[in-house]
């Protein structure tokens, strides 16, 4: 065939294809007139299946719907509230939220604040407060509302109208130590426990927190510890925030667990701190694909009601095409452009679109609302999400960053950090919001509070009363537990020198605790695919692994002692290889006393290396959230964990643990120390209900576990951080004091024997916590400085070592900085031995020599400290 015939044949073929395709689309049109969406979806799924036969599959775009609202106008519910009144209330809140920040700027305190985030989020929050967020009651579990951190001024401004916060508090936004009281910058339960349910300031963590709290609510229901009476978690995040791996990484579990008690709302104002989130693409469409692909129900709120009529007339699809094709950078530009320029850019050279848009004036084109500022559209999407069953919901809401700020910030790249506004900008905003203050008061950014019996305040109070009270809130209604019996772990602690590791000791205690009558049901063992490493696999059968669907298969190890048993009532949370998920579960369980009134006691066992440094920010969030429970760093110690190398060998987690103020950390050497710590932990956290939590390191080295000494009261010493474990056997006062911790205590005991053989009287002190000793001593010093003249408080470390003389050698499997931190309170010179540096793949003995924490090195250090000649033999 020559080239001309060739081209003609190809054209014929192209024509045929176009004709055939048009016929298919026509049939679809006819289907659409005769059948509903459900049937058409069924057809498409069948077609998709058939296409697979020919090796044809859809790409990711199949997960996208057109760029328009997910709830069609025909299905939009009637708005149940008074929109005009709600808008007036919202405007007052907008103004007061802005005024909080402006007053701070005017007072030149330099404390900062944000206006633009709440300005974009105000309407969605208000629709939620007026119609959705319900409080706990006798027959309803209660909603938890996690707000975007930078929108906190809006929550405060609402609480001010509700009468929950004073004007002075608002004035002192970001000045928590002000005399009349102040407000924290972002949601912080630790600072404001009655108001904030969860901390949200670190981007991304609130999603993981919400997902796992929703999951934990189901866990409690399945285990019969909470009535199955609902309660939704509403989590509001930013579109920039959605880039965080904690957001994207926790989506699949929400779908897998069918968390229909979770509604995630993404405020898509198309901007983050520096500029556009996806200038060259569309964040809403991208997130829609990701969420739908992960199995979520996706709602989209993109266009305000003013577009309805236009879309209804868009018979040839020109408008929808343009909506789909414009990128976020274009949409951001439209939010700052004059109307005629928007029209020009929007219509380009499309005559159909030009014609369609003719009915609108330039001003209408400019001010046409995005869906996120339209009550009716938001209500429709919220109601739709609220009714979803068997799936989590996400609502992607398109807004304008800084909406209402006008030229001061609306849609501008600098909007996020805009906190100063000149007089004209203030007046422009206040007038736009209809704030009835004198111009002079507006210039001073004074707060506006309507009369108590005004329609605004009456409506606001009525709405919250109808929904069960103010939101957000955190109300603790949890009864204290009774203390554990003193001899509960007796069989684990009176070991008579039985060989055991501290890990095994703790696991046995845990197993016993799980059987306890009152407390057992509240214990939540959590592991990220590491249970066998810690010898916890025996618990699989004992208490079962939680699965919302039970066990629909026969496990391969059925009938064995540690068979893999999944159950709806299972108690263990096996999180797979997801430390973020596991710590989020710990947070959910450890705050259940506040959210559900049940005193759940999580024990989260992790590879100690993959705790603080992997999820340190989440551990910080746990402290902020007043979380309780036990974090357990297993396979601890840089040299005790032999073979594994520098990525696995932890010699520093205690240094990191010291940075979390409410975390009490211990590095115990013996089973009876663990017993004392665990019982005291339960007493402080669940009997006294103190807002603290615990960190314990446990080791995999097996050695003789001595029974608890009976002649001295070791409990106080164990808890405060130091006690004399073994006195010298020589008939004189000790001249050497060895301070040992954790598994390295074995080397210390051997070193004492050697030193005594050489004639040096040596005492051994067990240091269970350098961190506790350091903190207590620092507090005593601060106390003494502030209470000069009164009798002085003696730090415990000084008191414990009061009658000692000689030299001190401290040794642990952790960094030397730990003993160094208490050196100034020791009555003699200190030599610190520890495991600073990177780990190595080696055996335990070689590692201990390498890091100079072995018996030989301890002896040498002690002899050197006493001024004795160090011989090669020692
Ligand atoms: C982990 C973390 N990284 C960075 C920040 C600083 N930061 C605060 S807000 C913000 C931008 C937020 O953008 P977006 O999520 O889109 O929210 P918007 O304000 O636009 O609603 C950044 C980077 C933070 N708070 N947390
Ligand atoms: Mg944003």
């Amino acid at each position: 065939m020559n080239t001309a015939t060739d081209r003609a044949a190809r054209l014929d073929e192209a024509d045929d294809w176009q004709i055939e395709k048009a016929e298919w689309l026509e049939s679809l049109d006819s289907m659409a007139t005769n059948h509903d969406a459900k049937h058409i979806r069924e057809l498409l799924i069948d077609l998709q299946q058939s296409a697979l036969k020919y090796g044809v599959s859809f790409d990711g775009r199949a997960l996208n719907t057109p760029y328009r609202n997910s709830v069609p106008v025909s299905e939009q519910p009637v708005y149940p509230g008074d929109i005009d009144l709600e808008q007036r209330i919202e405007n007052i809140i907008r103004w007061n939220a802005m005024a909080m920040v402006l007053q701070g700027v005017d007072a030149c305190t330099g404390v900062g604040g944000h206006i633009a985030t709440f300005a974009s989020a105000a309407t969605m929050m208000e629709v939620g407060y007026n119609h959705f967020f319900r409080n706990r009651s006798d027959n309803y579990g209660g909603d938890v509302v996690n707000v975007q951190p930078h929108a906190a001024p809006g929550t405060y401004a609402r609480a001010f109208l509700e009468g929950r916060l004073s004007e002075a508090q608002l004035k002192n936004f970001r000045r928590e130590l002000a005399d009349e009281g102040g407000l924290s910058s972002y949601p912080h339960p630790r600072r404001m426990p009655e108001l904030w349910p969860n901390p949200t300031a670190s981007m991304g963590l609130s999603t993981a927190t919400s997902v796992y709290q929703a999951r934990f609510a189901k866990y409690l229901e399945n285990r019969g510890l909470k009535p199955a009476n609902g309660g939704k978690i509403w989590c509001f995040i930013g579109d920039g925030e959605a880039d965080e791996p904690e957001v994207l990484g926790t989506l699949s579990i929400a779908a897998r667990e069918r968390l229909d008690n979770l509604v995630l709302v993404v405020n898509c104002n198309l901007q983050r701190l520096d500029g556009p989130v996806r200038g060259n693409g569309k964040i809403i469409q991208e997130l829609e694909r990701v969420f739908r692909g992960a199995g979520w129900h996706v709602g989209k709120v993109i266009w305000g009601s003013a577009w309805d009529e236009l879309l209804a007339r868009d018979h040839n699809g020109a408008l929808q095409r343009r909506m789909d094709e414009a990128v976020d950078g274009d949409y951001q530009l439209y939010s700052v452009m004059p109307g005629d320029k928007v029209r020009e850019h929007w219509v380009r050279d499309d005559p159909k679109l030009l014609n369609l848009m003719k009915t609108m004036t330039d001003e209408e084109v400019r001010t046409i609302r995005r869906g996120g500022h339209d009550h009716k559209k938001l209500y429709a999407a919220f109601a739709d999400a609220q009714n979803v069953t068997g799936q989590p919901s996400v609502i992607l809401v398109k807004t304008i960053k800084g909406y209402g700020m006008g030229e001061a910030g609306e849609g501008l790249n600098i909007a996020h950090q805009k906190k100063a506004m000149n007089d004209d900008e203030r007046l422009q905003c206040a007038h736009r919001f209809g704030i009835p203050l004198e111009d002079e008061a507006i210039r001073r950014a004074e707060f506006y509070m309507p009369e108590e019996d005004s329609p605004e305040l009456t409506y606001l109070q009525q709405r919250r009363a109808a929904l069960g009270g103010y939101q957000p809130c955190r109300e603790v209604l949890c009864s204290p537990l009774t203390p554990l019996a003193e001899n509960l772990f007796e069989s684990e602690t009176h070991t008579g020198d039985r060989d055991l590791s501290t890990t095994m000791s703790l696991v046995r205690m845990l197993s016993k605790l799980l059987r306890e009558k009152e407390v057992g049901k509240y214990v939540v063992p959590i592991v990220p695919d590491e249970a066998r490493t810690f010898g916890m696999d025996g618990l699989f059968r004992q208490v079962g692994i939680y699965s919302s669907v039970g066990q629909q298969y026969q496990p391969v190890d059925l009938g064995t002692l540690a068979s893999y048993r999944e159950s709806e009532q299972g108690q263990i949370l096996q999180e797979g290889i997801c430390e973020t998920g596991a710590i989020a579960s710990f947070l959910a369980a450890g705050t259940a006393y506040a959210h559900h009134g049940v005193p759940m006691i999580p024990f989260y066992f992790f590879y100690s290396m993959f705790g603080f440094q992997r999820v340190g920010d989440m551990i910080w969030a746990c402290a902020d959230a007043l979380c309780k429970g036990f974090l357990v760093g297993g396979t601890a110690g840089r040299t005790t964990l032999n073979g594994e190398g520098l990525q696995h060998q932890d010699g520093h987690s205690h240094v990191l643990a010291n940075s979390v103020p409410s975390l009490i950390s211990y590095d115990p050497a013996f089973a009876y120390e663990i017993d004392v710590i665990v019982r005291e932990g339960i007493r402080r956290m669940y009997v006294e209900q103190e807002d603290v939590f615990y960190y314990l390191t446990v080791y995999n080295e097996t050695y003789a576990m001595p029974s608890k000494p009976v002649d001295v009261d070791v409990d106080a010493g164990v808890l405060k951080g130091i006690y004399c474990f073994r006195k010298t056997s020589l008939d004189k006062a000790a001249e050497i004091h060895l301070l040992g911790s954790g598994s390295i205590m074995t080397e210390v005991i051997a070193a004492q024997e050697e030193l005594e053989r050489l004639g040096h009287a040596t005492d051994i002190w067990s240091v269970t916590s350098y961190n506790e000793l350091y903190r207590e001593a620092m507090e005593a010093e601060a106390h003494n400085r502030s209470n000069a003249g009164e009798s002085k408080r003696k730090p415990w470390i000084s008191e414990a070592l009061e009658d000692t003389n000689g030299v001190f050698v401290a040794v642990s499997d952790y960094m030397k900085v730990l003993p160094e931190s208490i050196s100034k309170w020791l009555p003699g010179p200190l030599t610190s031995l520890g495991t600073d540096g990177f780990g190595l793949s080696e055996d335990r003995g070689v590692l201990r020599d390498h890091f100079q924490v072995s018996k030989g090195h301890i002896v040498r250090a002690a002899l050197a400290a006493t001024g004795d000649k160090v011989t090669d033999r020692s």
Side-chain angles (χ1 to χ4, degrees):
M1 246 192 277
N2 66 31
T3 342
T5 354
D6 205 10
R7 194 174 328 117
R10 278 207 308 273
L11 284 175
D12 276 355
E13 200 182 304
D15 279 353
D16 284 353
W17 161 241
Q18 289 303 339
I19 293 165
E20 212 170 325
K21 192 170 107 181
E23 282 169 358
W24 272 79
L25 291 173
E26 255 171 54
S27 332
L28 187 69
D29 287 345
S30 115
M31 289 279 290
T33 44
N34 299 326
H35 299 279
D36 61 16
K38 195 169 136 261
H39 285 112
I40 295 178
R41 192 173 306 124
E42 190 183 313
L43 170 73
L44 291 176
I45 290 168
D46 287 354
L47 277 175
Q48 190 177 354
Q49 283 302 326
S50 304
L52 285 176
K53 277 195 297 205
Y54 308 103
V56 178
S57 62
F58 282 159
D59 60 19
R61 270 175 301 173
L63 294 166
N64 267 133
T65 57
Y67 198 58
R68 63 168 177 245
N69 299 341
S70 52
V71 179
V73 182
S74 57
E75 288 172 26
Q76 204 172 293
V78 176
Y79 195 76
D82 180 335
I83 291 185
D84 286 344
L85 199 46
E86 287 183 20
Q87 186 67 63
R88 290 215 305 271
I89 298 167
E90 181 185 312
N91 288 350
I92 297 168
I93 293 173
R94 283 172 173 276
W95 169 255
N96 286 343
M98 189 182 281
M100 285 169 65
V101 179
L102 294 175
Q103 286 187 25
V105 171
D106 294 349
C108 297
T109 51
V111 295
H114 298 89
I115 298 172
T117 301
F118 178 67
S120 62
T123 316
M124 65 179 94
M125 297 312 299
E126 282 304 296
V127 168
Y129 287 131
N130 284 322
H131 302 287
F132 290 93
F133 310 152
R134 280 166 64 199
N135 279 27
R136 211 188 301 174
S137 67
D138 286 347
N139 46 24
Y140 185 67
D143 295 342
V144 171
V145 182
N146 295 322
V147 309
Q148 263 187 283
H150 297 71
T155 307
Y156 292 139
R158 173 167 248 272
F160 172 59
L161 290 196
E162 291 168 341
R164 287 202 284 169
L165 294 177
S166 68
E167 185 166 339
Q169 282 175 296
L170 252 61
K171 206 180 240 336
N172 294 325
F173 173 52
R174 292 183 164 231
R175 293 173 62 208
E176 296 179 70
L177 297 179
D179 285 345
E180 316 98 305
L183 301 172
S184 69
S185 48
Y186 306 114
H188 290 302
R190 181 158 283 279
R191 294 299 311 181
M192 305 187 69
E194 318 76 31
L195 190 75
W196 297 120
N198 286 300
T200 64
S202 181
M203 303 264 105
L205 300 195
S206 67
T207 304
T209 303
S210 302
V211 166
Y212 283 83
Q213 271 178 358
R215 199 282 209 98
F216 197 70
K218 299 260 183 191
Y219 167 96
L220 290 175
E221 286 174 6
N222 275 323
R223 291 198 47 220
L225 292 166
K226 167 192 179 296
N229 59 356
K232 294 227 184 255
I233 309 233
W234 291 83
C235 178
F236 290 79
I237 65 168
D239 47 358
E241 184 172 3
D243 281 341
E244 290 283 5
E246 285 85 355
V247 174
L248 300 177
T250 51
L251 299 189
S252 52
I253 186 172
R256 202 185 319 137
E257 297 283 318
R258 296 177 299 172
L259 300 180
D260 47 17
N261 54 346
L262 176 66
V263 183
L264 184 66
V265 185
V266 189
N267 175 5
C268 298
N269 54 26
L270 316 186
Q271 291 175 241
R272 44 180 161 73
L273 195 151
D274 285 341
V277 175
R278 295 286 186 277
N280 294 315
K282 278 207 189 53
I283 188 63
I284 291 183
Q285 298 300 87
E286 182 180 324
L287 289 176
E288 178 183 32
R289 287 193 292 278
V290 174
F291 277 90
R292 182 163 291 124
W296 287 54
H297 174 80
V298 181
K300 298 201 288 192
V301 181
I302 300 180
W303 307 112
S305 302
W307 291 93
D308 289 347
E309 191 265 334
L310 229 51
L311 279 161
R313 285 195 284 116
D314 182 32
H315 304 299
N316 52 35
L319 179 61
Q320 186 62 58
R321 243 191 325 276
R322 185 68 186 114
M323 287 171 163
D324 286 332
E325 153 198 290
V327 290
D328 282 355
D330 294 332
Y331 286 115
Q332 189 188 348
L333 193 63
Y334 299 152
S335 66
V336 299
M337 262 183 172
D340 57 336
K341 296 279 177 228
V342 175
R343 184 193 302 272
E344 205 179 302
H345 192 279
W346 179 247
V347 167
R348 291 188 175 165
D349 47 6
D350 184 338
K352 289 181 187 144
L353 194 53
L354 178 74
N355 198 31
L356 188 76
M357 303 286 294
K358 258 191 194 143
T359 51
M360 297 179 88
T361 65
D362 285 347
E363 185 54 12
E364 279 168 347
V365 169
R366 191 184 69 79
T367 55
I368 197 162
R369 279 188 185 180
R370 290 185 184 175
H373 305 299
D374 185 313
H375 295 74
K376 291 182 187 164
K377 301 295 179 193
L378 285 162
Y379 182 88
F382 281 20
D384 175 54
Q386 177 147 282
N387 294 329
V388 168
T389 54
Q391 262 183 310
S393 292
V394 63
I395 308 171
L396 307 169
V397 183
K398 183 166 170 166
T399 60
I400 292 180
K401 191 146 180 168
Y403 187 67
M405 289 171 80
E407 285 162 20
E410 203 162 302
L412 299 181
N413 278 340
I414 48 110
H416 189 84
Q417 282 166 317
K418 177 84 181 180
K419 41 195 122 265
M421 285 166 74
N422 65 31
D423 284 358
D424 284 348
E425 289 166 344
R426 291 175 190 208
L427 286 164
Q428 200 187 46
C429 272
H431 293 159
R432 177 168 170 183
F433 293 148
I435 303 298
L437 287 174
E438 299 292 330
D439 281 1
E440 214 21 66
I442 291 171
R443 289 191 189 96
R444 287 196 299 274
E446 283 183 12
F447 300 122
Y448 173 63
M449 172 65 97
E451 295 295 322
E452 208 177 318
D453 59 355
S454 62
E456 289 87 354
L457 290 198
T458 310
Y459 184 88
L460 175 130
Q461 297 289 5
Q462 274 171 354
R463 289 310 311 146
R464 283 320 312 165
L467 292 161
Y470 301 125
Q471 273 283 8
C473 65
R474 184 175 176 282
E475 192 185 11
V476 180
L477 298 169
C478 188
S479 311
L481 294 177
T482 47
L484 297 180
E486 244 180 71
N487 60 357
L488 178 65
F489 301 128
E490 209 167 52
S491 53
E492 278 68 45
T493 55
H494 284 77
T495 41
D497 283 347
R498 189 171 359 127
D499 280 353
L500 215 59
S501 67
T502 44
T503 306
M504 263 339 285
S505 305
L506 179 56
V507 170
R508 286 181 185 195
M509 288 180 213
L510 181 65
S511 164
K512 191 141 211 186
L513 203 57
L514 284 160
R515 290 196 185 92
E516 267 295 285
K517 203 159 172 291
E518 186 199 1
V519 171
K521 59 179 177 292
Y522 298 130
V523 176
V524 187
I526 303 170
V527 269
D529 202 29
E530 211 64 75
R532 293 183 199 278
T533 312
F534 305 131
M536 293 170 75
D537 39 342
L539 298 181
F540 292 168
R541 227 177 76 171
Q542 182 187 331
V543 289
I545 296 164
Y546 172 74
S547 157
S548 55
V549 292
Q551 190 161 39
Q552 299 176 358
Y553 62 96
Q554 179 183 311
V556 286
D557 51 8
L558 187 73
T560 62
L561 271 179
S563 77
Y564 202 84
R565 184 169 77 82
E566 299 192 61
S567 147
E568 274 169 275
Q569 289 83 39
Q571 207 160 337
I572 300 171
L573 288 174
Q574 161 63 265
E575 299 297 2
I577 311 168
C578 182
E579 275 79 12
T580 303
I583 188 71
S585 271
F586 178 80
L587 176 56
T591 52
Y593 72 94
H595 299 302
H596 306 290
V598 272
M600 304 307 291
I601 311 172
F603 280 78
Y604 169 23
F605 281 71
F606 48 81
Y607 222 109
S608 68
M609 192 67 164
F610 306 129
F612 285 81
Q613 64 184 41
R614 182 73 182 227
V615 289
D617 202 10
M618 279 295 281
I619 295 177
W620 188 257
C622 289
D624 193 346
L626 312 169
C627 174
K628 302 178 197 288
F630 294 91
L631 294 173
V632 182
T635 56
R638 187 102 67 206
T639 68
T640 307
L641 178 60
N642 52 352
E644 294 286 347
L646 92 169
Q647 288 118 346
H648 286 72
Q649 291 161 345
D650 165 37
H652 51 283
S653 63
H654 279 286
V655 179
L656 301 174
N658 196 24
S659 65
V660 183
S662 57
L663 184 67
I664 302 173
S665 48
Y666 289 102
D667 186 19
F670 304 121
Y672 66 81
E673 295 177 355
I674 298 176
D675 159 44
V676 173
I677 295 163
V678 170
R679 280 188 297 108
E680 173 69 356
I682 299 228
R683 188 192 69 79
R684 285 184 64 179
M685 294 186 285
Y686 298 94
V687 181
E688 301 304 325
Q689 301 190 319
E690 278 186 57
D691 294 321
V692 292
F693 61 135
Y694 281 68
Y695 177 52
L696 270 78
T697 38
V698 289
Y699 297 78
N700 65 0
E701 183 177 8
T702 300
Y703 51 90
M705 286 289 150
S707 292
K708 189 171 174 178
V710 281
D711 47 338
V712 280
D713 172 22
V714 298
D715 288 20
V718 168
L719 297 174
K720 288 179 175 175
I722 188 169
Y723 69 94
C724 186
F725 165 67
R726 189 169 287 172
K727 286 223 159 288
T728 171
S729 59
L730 303 182
D731 200 13
K732 55 181 176 179
E735 58 190 292
I736 295 172
H737 302 275
L738 300 182
L739 275 49
S741 309
S743 202
I744 291 293
M745 192 56 111
T746 51
E747 304 287 337
V748 171
I749 292 170
Q752 185 205 32
E753 282 164 15
E754 176 72 6
L755 286 166
E756 301 234 308
R757 208 185 49 73
L758 295 171
H760 291 280
T762 305
D763 281 353
I764 298 180
W765 299 79
S766 177
V767 180
T768 49
S769 179
Y770 285 106
N771 289 340
E772 281 303 286
L773 291 174
Y774 168 79
R775 284 181 185 173
E776 194 270 345
M778 278 295 180
E779 268 170 34
E781 279 196 352
H783 171 89
N784 294 341
R785 275 197 305 277
S786 344
N787 298 280
E790 286 179 24
S791 62
K792 297 253 183 250
R793 229 170 81 182
K794 186 174 281 182
W796 168 253
I797 177 70
S798 308
E799 200 176 313
L801 299 174
E802 193 155 33
D803 301 321
T804 59
N805 282 304
V807 299
F808 291 81
V809 177
V811 54
S812 79
D813 221 357
Y814 279 83
M815 290 174 69
K816 298 178 188 111
V817 68
L818 291 167
E820 285 299 323
S821 71
I822 58 154
S823 64
K824 73 170 175 170
W825 295 286
L826 297 182
L830 169 72
T831 306
S832 294
L833 304 179
T835 56
D836 296 32
F838 291 117
L840 286 163
S841 301
E842 256 306 344
D843 81 28
R844 199 172 280 154
V846 175
L847 281 171
R848 286 184 178 170
D849 264 341
H850 173 80
F851 283 100
Q852 305 191 345
V853 294
S854 60
K855 168 195 142 187
H857 283 282
I858 299 169
V859 170
R860 278 159 177 261
L863 293 180
T866 54
D868 232 35
K869 213 162 117 231
V870 180
T871 65
D872 269 351
R873 218 182 141 267
S874 53

